[in-house]
Amino acid sequence: MPDAATDAARDWPDQIYALLKEHDIRQVALVPDAGHSRLIKRCLADNDMKVATLTTEEEGIAMLFGAWLGGEKGVLLMQSSGVGNCINMLSVPISHRTPCPMIVTMRGDYGEFNPFQVPMGNATQTVLEAMGTLVKRADAPEDVAPTVNATLRLAFNTYRPTATLIGQRVIGAKTFGK
Amino acid sequence: MTDIPLGASGRMKRRDLVKALLADRGKLLAIGGLGAPAWDITAAGDVPENMPLWGGMGGAAMMGLGLALAQPDRPVAVITGDGEMLMGIGSLATIGVKQPRNLAIIVLDNEHYGETGMQETATRHGVDLATMAKGAGIADTRLVTQPEEVAALRAAIHAGAGPLFAQVKIDESSEPLVLPPREASILQARMREAILGKAAHLQ
Ligand SMILES: Cc1ncc(C[n+]2csc(CCOP(=O)(O)OP(=O)(O)O)c2C)c(N)n1
């Protein structure tokens, strides 16, 4: 018998997609991460979502600000290393008091293989919080949907940058065959 | 509009140029990049349809994209400096892929970082932003050097046949500061109300 936990282990990307629909997210800004690939596919297949693949993650912070000016809700999808590219641009939603929800897949976390992912992965939460972002972590599949829901609600109800960090225990570590 | 005065360099003066671009602006929304362009759009009229930026260097063009996608029936002009554009140069590729018809990016190219003491930018050394924009897939790409070309540029901003990228060579002299409100929550709320009405505050 499938229980809620095993459903979530399989379906958490679809659960995030359902939340994006529920919150009427119209703009999706992203730099691809393997952990987000299923969610990205669903967004790309949705004609009501304008998906922009960015050249660097800070573009997404700026784009979401523009979207909100025009009355549309957006979300930024990225991996933890991309958070480092966003730091100064976060001054925009902070100073303007505008929503900026981010959904971050963690690298440099449980079981990391690539040394270059560790410095930023280890600093992701600290850096975001240093830049005034409300951060919640999801380290079990069944926690992903409620945490993302909280991140979207906090952003759009209280006008600030917010982030869900999806732990590497949920995504699975990339081991390059080792 | 051919009466835009020229500075000592023989190039157009920035304030008069921006005033001309924003004249009779109708439904035009304008984002002014960090630095002198924010003061330029403010000097043309400190109106709710303006978003002058006090920070977020490198983000102006992408803000324009988000706004243009959200408001496809209104023309959106990003008016920014060469230094600010260079910091976010990759966004030209992002915009080139999305092809927003109602977005125009106007770079006021004084070949310097004016706001920080007139240090030279890459455009001073021949880096060609218009060609970079063309390479990013923005078909209507212009290098504007003459006052006679400004009327057509203004018309194109309103025409909705973009995306449009214009690199306008301007005189490097700086102009007196004309500051918009510094409390940025006011800037966003007034623009949102101008676009969405009072409902903006209940979204
Ligand atoms: C990330 C970041 N780096 C540097 C600065 C400092 N800064 C403020 S305005 C500016 C220059 C802007 O130059 P440009 O876009 O060419 O506009 P101009 O004032 O010359 O018209 C710089 C470097 C900053 N505010 N933020």
Side-chain angles (χ1 to χ4, degrees):
Chain A
M1 274 289 283
D3 58 18
T6 54
D7 279 352
R10 205 175 49 239
D11 294 340
W12 64 265
D14 298 323
Q15 292 172 358
I16 297 179
Y17 174 76
L19 283 166
L20 299 186
K21 298 303 288 178
E22 191 184 315
H23 286 270
D24 196 26
I25 301 293
R26 295 303 179 96
Q27 295 194 26
V28 180
L30 63 93
V31 173
D33 177 62
H36 273 319
S37 57
R38 179 150 155 202
L39 175 58
I40 291 169
K41 268 197 200 111
R42 303 248 7 218
C43 293
L44 284 169
D46 187 328
N47 288 331
D48 291 328
M49 288 183 174
K50 298 150 205 168
V51 181
T53 303
L54 313 167
T55 69
T56 174
E57 289 82 356
E58 66 187 287
E59 288 179 8
I61 308 285
M63 181 175 158
L64 265 46
F65 173 64
W68 182 249
L69 288 178
E72 282 196 342
K73 294 179 177 179
V75 71
L76 173 57
L77 311 180
M78 61 184 152
Q79 69 163 239
S80 48
S81 54
V83 167
N85 291 348
C86 294
I87 299 173
N88 181 60
M89 201 61 77
L90 285 167
S91 65
V92 171
I94 294 168
S95 301
H96 287 275
R97 295 177 192 273
T98 51
C100 185
M102 298 168 259
I103 306 177
V104 180
T105 43
M106 289 304 297
R107 294 290 309 270
D109 199 26
Y110 285 90
E112 181 59 55
F113 176 80
N114 179 349
F116 283 68
Q117 287 286 358
V118 173
M120 193 60 229
N122 195 44
T124 299
Q125 182 157 0
T126 309
V127 161
L128 282 170
E129 286 175 345
M131 285 304 290
T133 302
L134 297 182
V135 181
K136 310 288 175 209
R137 272 194 74 112
D139 281 302
E142 61 271 25
D143 290 342
V144 173
T147 310
V148 168
N149 196 19
T151 283
L152 293 167
R153 283 177 174 278
L154 281 166
F156 294 112
N157 291 338
T158 78
Y159 316 105
R160 66 188 74 239
T162 63
T164 285
L165 310 186
I166 303 174
Q168 220 163 346
R169 274 197 292 187
V170 175
I171 299 154
K174 192 171 165 184
T175 59
F176 297 87
K178 291 245 176 179
Chain B
M1 229 182 274
T2 51
D3 56 0
I4 297 169
L6 305 179
S9 62
R11 290 174 173 172
M12 284 179 274
K13 298 187 84 163
R14 58 189 309 150
R15 284 282 155 84
D16 302 276
L17 166 70
V18 171
K19 272 207 182 89
L21 290 176
L22 295 180
D24 303 320
R25 60 189 281 170
K27 297 183 76 160
L28 177 67
L29 303 168
I31 294 173
L34 170 72
W39 323 145
D40 293 335
I41 67 165
T42 304
D46 183 25
V47 296
E49 292 81 5
N50 276 358
M51 175 51 67
L53 296 167
W54 286 90
M57 187 167 177
M62 285 301 297
M63 294 176 195
L65 177 63
L67 179 54
L69 291 175
Q71 289 291 323
D73 297 328
R74 293 188 74 144
V76 175
V78 174
I79 298 176
T80 194
D82 43 311
E84 204 278 340
M85 188 69 248
L86 282 161
M87 190 170 282
I89 199 72
S91 48
L92 293 180
T94 309
I95 290 162
V97 171
K98 295 313 285 181
Q99 292 289 313
R101 312 255 314 153
N102 55 329
L103 178 62
I105 300 167
I106 316 297
V107 176
L108 306 177
D109 183 9
N110 62 358
E111 302 184 349
H112 291 85
Y113 296 100
E115 199 59 32
T116 48
M118 288 305 279
Q119 301 87 354
E120 293 176 350
T121 64
T123 63
R124 181 69 166 179
H125 300 275
V127 169
D128 179 348
L129 295 173
T131 299
M132 292 173 92
K134 182 133 253 163
I138 298 178
D140 187 349
T141 298
R142 306 163 184 226
L143 176 66
V144 175
T145 58
Q146 304 301 320
E148 296 75 38
E149 298 169 285
V150 173
L153 175 57
R154 187 198 157 277
I157 292 171
H158 286 269
L164 160 71
F165 182 94
Q167 179 181 10
V168 189
K169 291 290 183 180
I170 58 165
D171 188 65
E172 61 184 58
S173 59
S174 35
E175 302 279 350
L177 292 176
V178 180
L179 301 182
R182 210 162 60 249
E183 172 52 83
S185 61
I186 291 174
L187 297 173
Q188 61 90 351
R190 74 182 192 178
M191 180 180 257
R192 282 170 47 82
E193 187 176 314
I195 297 171
L196 306 163
K198 294 279 182 202
H201 311 307
L202 299 171
Q203 187 180 10

